[in-house]
Amino acid sequence: MEMFISLLVQIISGAIGGNIAGMTKEGLGTGLNTLIGGVGGLVLGQIVAALTGNSSGEA
């Protein structure tokens, strides 16, 4: 359960970051910014978890 919550936080924070980054004239639209940001947050969270040796992704 703890890992599921960690993954959910990674996806949500990535989606928020994607929308903030997409607030330019060249944004992809709200839907794509959210989707790409969520995937990016998940991938980056897993990379950080692998580099730090923490299986749950929490720093």
Side-chain angles (χ1 to χ4, degrees):
M1 184 68 169
E2 185 176 316
M3 187 172 185
F4 176 72
I5 293 173
S6 176
L7 293 174
L8 192 60
V9 168
Q10 291 171 2
I11 292 170
I12 291 172
S13 61
I16 292 170
N19 279 312
I20 291 172
M23 288 184 169
T24 63
K25 191 183 290 186
E26 296 84 22
L28 300 173
T30 305
L32 279 177
N33 287 339
T34 302
L35 180 67
I36 293 172
V39 170
L42 181 63
V43 170
L44 184 60
Q46 294 304 305
I47 290 172
V48 169
L51 290 176
T52 61
N54 194 351
S55 62
S56 65
E58 297 174 1

